[in-house]
């Protein structure tokens, strides 16, 4: 009786284990297929292959990372960021996490989201402090972020001046209209009182309008304090970091997803 029971159990589990192994092999085959298409520049085909592989192995960090690369090369940056984020969450080693965060920074750089790129490169350095490319790209992202914020501030000040000028012109127009209304009213009163008092005159003092204050829009992006705190956590001085930029003859290829595994 006992031997029949164990025979039944063994026959019951063996097909399940075999099916799981087949799925794993199929997923690996699809990954290789995607890699081949990627190397040939067929990024849409590689995306399809990686997607099918992930249907069979949704917890594969490598699959999510490679899918992010395929999406990145098609300039589908928001989708690629989602794939890289999943890769970072599922990756077991710090080096693999750093690669995913590095490419998150690259994708944000491609969209000129420099504050978010700073976060991506900072996370990459947190997991791999020796990543020289991430360190340099972080410096470059900080430089571009500073320029972006200065431009936004200047634009905000210009918009504020334009709005104040519009308010001033509107106030002048309102004042002229008010003076005209009061003049018309005065003439009407004078006509009504002409028979009663020839010497009576009507004096009117128009009121002056007050310009409205237009508040300059604040930059909704990452604040300088947040950036400084992130760098402080990494024990990196921003001044020291920015000094690395002139040392490199070639600008960082922040729009190239070149960290595959």
């Amino acid at each position: 009786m006992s031997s029949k029971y164990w025979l039944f159990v063994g026959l019951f589990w063996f097909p399940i284990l075999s099916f799981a192994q087949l799925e794993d092999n199929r997923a690996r085959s699809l990954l290789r297929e995607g890699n081949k298409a990627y190397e040939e520049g067929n990024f849409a085909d590689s995306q399809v292959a990686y997607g099918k592989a992930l249907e069979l192995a949704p917890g594969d960090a490598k699959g999510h990372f490679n899918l992010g690369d395929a999406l990145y090369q098609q300039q589908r940056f928001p989708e690629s960021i989602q794939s890289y984020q999943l890769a970072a969450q599922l990756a077991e080693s710090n080096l693999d996490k750093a690669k995913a965060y590095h490419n998150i920074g690259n994708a944000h750089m491609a969209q000129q989201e420099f504050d978010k790129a700073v976060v991506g490169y900072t996370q990459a350095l947190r997991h791999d402090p020796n990543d020289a490319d991430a360190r340099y790209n972080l410096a470059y992202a900080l430089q571009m972020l500073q320029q972006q914020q200065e431009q936004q501030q200047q634009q905000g000040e210009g918009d504020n001046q334009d709005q104040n000028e519009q308010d001033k012109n509107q106030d002048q127009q309102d004042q002229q209209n008010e003076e005209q209304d009061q003049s018309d009213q005065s003439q009407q009163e004078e006509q009504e009182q002409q028979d009663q008092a020839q010497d009576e005159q009507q004096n009117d003092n128009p009121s002056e309008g007050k310009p409205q204050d237009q508040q300059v829009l604040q930059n909704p992006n990452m604040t300088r304090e947040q950036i400084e705190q992130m760098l402080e956590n990494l024990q990196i001085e921003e001044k020291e970091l920015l000094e690395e930029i002139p040392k490199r003859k070639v600008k960082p290829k922040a729009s190239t997803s070149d960290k595959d595994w």
Side-chain angles (χ1 to χ4, degrees), residues 19-145:
F19 180 74
Q21 187 64 41
L22 287 174
E23 282 196 332
D24 183 66
N25 291 339
R26 177 58 178 162
R28 292 178 181 275
S29 176
L30 286 167
L31 279 178
R32 290 192 293 268
E33 179 182 330
N35 291 342
K36 181 179 179 181
Y38 185 93
E39 292 172 358
E40 294 174 351
N42 300 324
F43 303 121
D45 292 343
S46 66
Q47 174 199 337
V48 172
Y50 293 143
K52 290 180 179 179
L54 288 171
E55 290 178 0
L56 299 174
D60 184 8
K62 180 178 180 179
H64 287 289
F65 184 93
N66 289 354
L67 176 59
D69 278 350
L71 292 166
Y72 183 101
Q73 295 295 348
Q74 298 175 76
Q75 298 186 356
R76 297 167 62 174
F77 302 119
E79 295 172 83
S80 71
I81 290 172
Q82 294 179 357
S83 294
Y84 290 138
Q85 288 174 337
L86 286 172
Q89 294 173 7
L90 294 170
E92 297 181 356
S93 72
N94 284 333
L95 289 179
D96 289 343
K97 290 180 182 293
K99 293 175 183 179
Y101 283 120
H102 189 120
N103 276 9
I104 289 175
N106 287 352
H108 284 303
M109 283 291 289
Q111 300 176 96
Q112 296 188 348
E113 297 172 343
F114 303 122
D115 58 330
K116 296 179 181 179
V118 168
V119 176
Y121 295 134
T122 302
Q123 290 285 359
L125 285 171
R126 180 170 287 116
H127 291 87
D128 182 13
N130 298 321
D131 188 346
D133 290 337
R135 184 182 178 91
Y136 180 73
N137 282 5
L138 173 59
Y140 186 72
L142 283 169
Q143 185 183 63
M144 297 302 296
L145 175 60

